[in-house]
Amino acid sequence: MSLLERLNEDMKQAMKNKEKEKLSVIRMLKAAIQNEAIKLGKDELTNDEELTVLSREVKQRKDSLQEFEKAGRNDLVEKVQTELTYVDVYMPEQLTEDELLQVVQEAIKEVNATSKADMGKVMGAVMSKVKGRADGSSVRNVVQQQLS
């Protein structure tokens, strides 16, 4: 079952259960995926492309969450946290710190990285492997630790 089909099923269920917030988030995700398909000129996105869209949506919400927390907008913080819980359902399982460390160490060996100057090469190799299963800031932190 593709992500779009799963979203359609969950949307129907949310309508039946009268879950307005969940329905709103699902519709937003569907729209983001459909807009990306239109932008790329395709009828359907691949799993990787769908994952990229979902990752972008999660990142946007996390960024908004930080901004709202800084501004002291607790009402918006709660709303964004709720949205994040609904979006996280569709994301693949996140890597543990140990798994991420292992992937980073393998990538360092692959690209023969020796210093922080090689960080870009390592990040590129790691991000392609962990797409959607780890966010960029945590990957960056682990890479920096390993290269220092």
Side-chain angles (χ1 to χ4, degrees):
M1 176 184 286
S2 78
L3 179 61
L4 209 49
E5 291 168 348
R6 188 171 162 207
L7 286 170
N8 282 329
E9 291 301 314
D10 290 351
M11 188 170 79
K12 289 174 191 173
Q13 197 59 46
M15 283 181 192
K16 288 178 185 173
N17 297 341
K18 297 185 181 359
E19 298 171 291
K20 289 182 181 180
E21 287 180 14
K22 184 175 183 178
L23 182 60
S24 170
V25 172
I26 292 171
R27 283 181 173 155
M28 177 272 314
L29 288 175
K30 266 188 70 177
I33 289 170
Q34 290 170 334
N35 287 339
E36 187 72 12
I38 291 168
K39 184 175 128 187
L40 297 175
K42 296 182 173 183
D43 290 336
E44 247 180 67
L45 297 178
T46 65
N47 287 342
D48 275 351
E49 291 167 337
E50 288 176 342
L51 195 56
T52 300
V53 172
L54 280 180
S55 297
R56 186 181 320 134
E57 293 298 322
V58 168
K59 184 177 181 340
Q60 285 175 351
R61 272 155 194 70
K62 286 183 178 178
D63 290 347
S64 296
L65 192 60
Q66 287 177 337
E67 293 300 317
F68 292 147
E69 284 172 345
K70 283 182 192 173
R73 295 291 310 266
N74 293 332
D75 56 329
L76 295 175
V77 167
E78 289 175 26
K79 181 179 184 280
V80 172
Q81 284 174 333
T82 304
E83 287 180 6
L84 265 172
T85 58
Y86 291 133
V87 176
D88 280 342
V89 169
Y90 302 101
M91 292 294 290
E93 189 175 321
Q94 299 295 298
L95 293 174
T96 64
E97 284 186 39
D98 291 337
E99 292 169 330
L100 182 56
L101 179 61
Q102 186 177 356
V103 171
V104 167
Q105 289 171 342
E106 289 171 10
I108 288 172
K109 288 176 188 171
E110 279 177 27
V111 299
N112 297 320
T114 56
S115 68
K116 284 194 176 191
D118 299 320
M119 190 164 168
K121 290 185 218 171
V122 177
M123 286 293 294
V126 171
M127 291 308 288
S128 65
K129 291 178 183 176
V130 300
K131 189 172 203 127
R133 298 184 302 150
D135 77 350
S137 62
S138 58
V139 172
R140 186 188 69 236
N141 293 338
V142 173
V143 171
Q144 282 178 338
Q145 289 172 355
Q146 293 300 305
L147 291 178
S148 58

